[in-house]
């Protein structure tokens, strides 16, 4: 299995070796799109996708995602980054340049419920989630056999309120050793400390099993049942130090009715959770998200 996945990734890297992406945030003013387009033209790059958004054309914030093909990009990376700085300085941009063939490395954290983990690994196996997944970390051993069937190392680190600092120290050490770019909390039922969150700022994606801002915290389906809701949902968001208050990436809902018990809500909710988390992870992996305050712009 792992050999087939590696072959797919190698083919993808070969096909995208000349492809780059730029994410831009700055104050809106005339000439931004023209300047970026001219820069890429001057560097023999062809724009293949471009999206932009302004909160207000008069003094608002401007956001842009642009994808391009540039012949010989592998040998021109440093030059592109160096030359773009002049435009970025002129427009006072916050910007990131990504090279598509450099696959991001994701670590998945999970506890006892495995439905989100399974969905992520199946998407990874079939080539629709093009990233490297060097390891899965869990505070329980339930996922060990399933994860290792994909050829992925599984690390069991018991974590609780009593040993949280020690557990996170081990986790962070592993993330550093494996050169992890972002973390996915696939129903990992532990609260992260500020130290952990700051180590991966805007690079920790969580799935919360309710349609935020409703039912923040633990047991949201039980509280939804008690409230008699007619819709249940799931929310994927970036993790901050405020519990379930981070910038929302994606949400979805499913209709329920008075016949559904709490367990029915949970069963239906898992369906929504899986799809919402996968979409959020893919968008992050494809450099489609720009965080603006406590909101996101998703291209």
């Amino acid at each position: 299995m792992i050999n087939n996945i590696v072959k797919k990734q190698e083919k993808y890297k070969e096909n995208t070796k000349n492809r780059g992406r730029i994410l831009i945030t700055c104050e809106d003013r005339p000439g931004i799109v023209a300047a970026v387009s001219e820069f890429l033209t001057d560097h023999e790059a062809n724009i293949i996708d471009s999206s932009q958004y302004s909160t207000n054309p008069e003094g608002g914030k401007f956001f842009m995602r642009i994808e391009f093909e540039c012949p010989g990009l592998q040998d021109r990376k440093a030059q592109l980054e160096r030359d773009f700085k002049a435009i970025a300085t002129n427009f006072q941009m916050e910007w990131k340049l990504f090279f598509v063939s450099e696959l991001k490395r994701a670590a998945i954290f999970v506890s006892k419920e495995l439905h989100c983990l399974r969905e992520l690994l199946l998407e990874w196996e079939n080539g629709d989630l093009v990233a490297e997944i060097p390891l899965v970390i869990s505070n329980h051993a339930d996922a060990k056999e399933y994860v290792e069937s994909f050829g992925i190392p599984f690390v069991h680190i018991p974590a609780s309120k009593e040993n949280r600092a020690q557990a996170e120290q081990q986790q962070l050490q592993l993330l550093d050793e494996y050169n992890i770019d972002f973390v996915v909390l696939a129903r990992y039922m532990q609260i992260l400390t500020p130290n952990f969150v700051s180590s991966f700022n805007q690079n920790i994606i969580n799935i919360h099993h309710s349609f935020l801002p409703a039912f923040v915290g633990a047991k949201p389906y039980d509280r939804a049942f008690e409230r008699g809701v007619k819709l249940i949902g799931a929310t994927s968001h970036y993790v901050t130090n405020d519990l379930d208050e981070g910038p929302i990436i994606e949400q979805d809902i499913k209709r329920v009715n008075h016949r559904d018990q709490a367990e029915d809500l949970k069963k239906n909710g898992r369906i929504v959770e899986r799809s919402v988390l996968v979409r959020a992870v893919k968008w992050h992996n494809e450099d489609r998200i720009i965080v603006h305050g406590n909101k996101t712009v998703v291209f």
Side-chain angles (χ1 to χ4, degrees), residues 210-226:
S210 85
F211 193 78
L212 294 175
F215 307 120
V216 173
K219 297 186 176 181
Y221 289 129
D222 296 276
R223 287 183 286 138
F225 173 72
E226 292 168 3

Side-chain angles (χ1 to χ4, degrees), residues 13-109:
K13 288 192 281 189
E14 176 62 26
N15 291 339
T16 60
K17 64 182 179 182
N18 291 324
R19 187 168 298 185
R21 299 180 185 128
I22 305 175
L23 293 185
I24 294 167
T25 303
C26 62
E27 299 297 323
D28 199 358
R29 65 184 242 204
I32 301 170
V33 176
V36 175
S37 300
E38 184 179 2
F39 167 83
L40 291 172
T41 300
D42 290 345
H43 288 78
E44 303 177 317
N46 181 38
I47 296 171
I48 59 175
D49 186 72
S50 180
S51 302
Q52 55 269 341
Y53 166 70
S54 175
T55 60
N56 189 326
E58 298 181 7
K61 279 284 186 180
F62 179 82
F63 307 90
M64 186 176 189
R65 177 189 185 270
I66 196 161
E67 191 163 333
F68 62 90
E69 287 274 343
C70 180
L73 181 61
Q74 298 297 310
D75 299 321
R76 303 171 69 174
K77 294 177 182 178
Q79 179 188 353
L80 277 172
E81 289 181 315
R82 183 173 61 249
D83 293 351
F84 193 79
K85 288 179 181 178
I87 294 176
T89 300
N90 182 38
F91 289 95
Q92 296 183 311
M93 294 175 175
E94 296 177 21
W95 62 285
K96 295 179 182 178
L97 175 59
F98 300 94
F99 303 103
V100 178
S101 63
E102 296 177 357
L103 302 189
K104 292 181 177 61
R105 295 169 63 81
I108 301 175
F109 282 44

Side-chain angles (χ1 to χ4, degrees), residues 205 236 249-250 276-285 289:
I205 302 170
S236 186
I249 303 170
E250 174 63 334
V276 167
L277 180 60
V278 164
R279 288 198 294 270
V281 170
K282 286 182 178 179
W283 294 341
H284 179 92
N285 189 57
I289 306 169

Side-chain angles (χ1 to χ4, degrees), residues 167-187:
E168 285 195 350
Q169 184 178 3
Q170 291 179 257
Q171 292 166 352
L172 288 170
Q173 184 177 347
L174 282 168
L175 298 181
D176 182 61
E177 289 176 6
Y178 281 87
N179 297 314
I180 297 300
D181 296 304
F182 69 100
V183 174
V184 182
L185 305 182
R187 292 300 303 270

Side-chain angles (χ1 to χ4, degrees), residues 90-278:
N90 182 38
F91 289 95
Q92 296 183 311
M93 294 175 175
E94 296 177 21
W95 62 285
K96 295 179 182 178
L97 175 59
F98 300 94
F99 303 103
V100 178
S101 63
E102 296 177 357
L103 302 189
K104 292 181 177 61
R105 295 169 63 81
I108 301 175
F109 282 44
V110 67
S111 290
K112 287 187 174 183
E113 296 199 45
L114 309 185
H115 54 286
C116 288
L117 169 70
R118 290 193 179 103
E119 192 77 10
L120 287 166
L121 292 185
L122 290 175
E123 290 289 298
W124 177 71
E125 180 188 17
N126 65 28
D128 289 334
L129 173 58
V130 189
E132 296 180 1
I133 304 179
L135 81 162
V136 171
I137 295 175
S138 180
N139 57 326
H140 298 279
D142 301 56
K144 177 178 172 62
E145 184 177 347
Y146 183 73
V147 170
E148 291 180 345
S149 72
F150 287 84
I152 300 173
F154 176 86
V155 182
H156 176 212
I157 302 177
S160 63
K161 293 180 181 179
E162 289 70 28
N163 73 332
R164 183 164 293 156
Q166 180 182 354
E168 285 195 350
Q169 184 178 3
Q170 291 179 257
Q171 292 166 352
L172 288 170
Q173 184 177 347
L174 282 168
L175 298 181
D176 182 61
E177 289 176 6
Y178 281 87
N179 297 314
I180 297 300
D181 296 304
F182 69 100
V183 174
V184 182
L185 305 182
R187 292 300 303 270
Y188 180 68
M189 308 307 288
Q190 292 289 313
I191 296 174
L192 303 178
T193 68
N195 178 56
F196 192 105
V197 173
S198 65
S199 298
F200 284 86
N201 183 40
Q202 296 179 8
N203 280 294
I204 305 173
I205 302 170
N206 184 45
I207 183 68
H208 182 68
H209 40 309
S210 85
F211 193 78
L212 294 175
F215 307 120
V216 173
K219 297 186 176 181
Y221 289 129
D222 296 276
R223 287 183 286 138
F225 173 72
E226 292 168 3
R227 186 65 181 83
V229 302
K230 304 307 179 187
L231 294 170
I232 57 169
T235 303
S236 186
H237 63 93
Y238 287 117
V239 174
T240 64
N241 290 324
D242 297 318
L243 181 63
D244 297 329
E245 297 283 349
I248 291 172
I249 303 170
E250 174 63 334
Q251 295 181 290
D252 208 347
I253 56 172
K254 194 175 191 302
R255 184 165 291 280
V256 295
N257 63 42
H258 59 276
R259 294 182 176 87
D260 292 308
Q261 300 299 305
E263 284 303 314
D264 299 314
L265 301 191
K266 293 175 185 178
K267 185 184 299 182
N268 283 287
R270 293 185 188 107
I271 298 171
V272 186
E273 293 166 30
R274 294 198 301 262
S275 60
V276 167
L277 180 60
V278 164

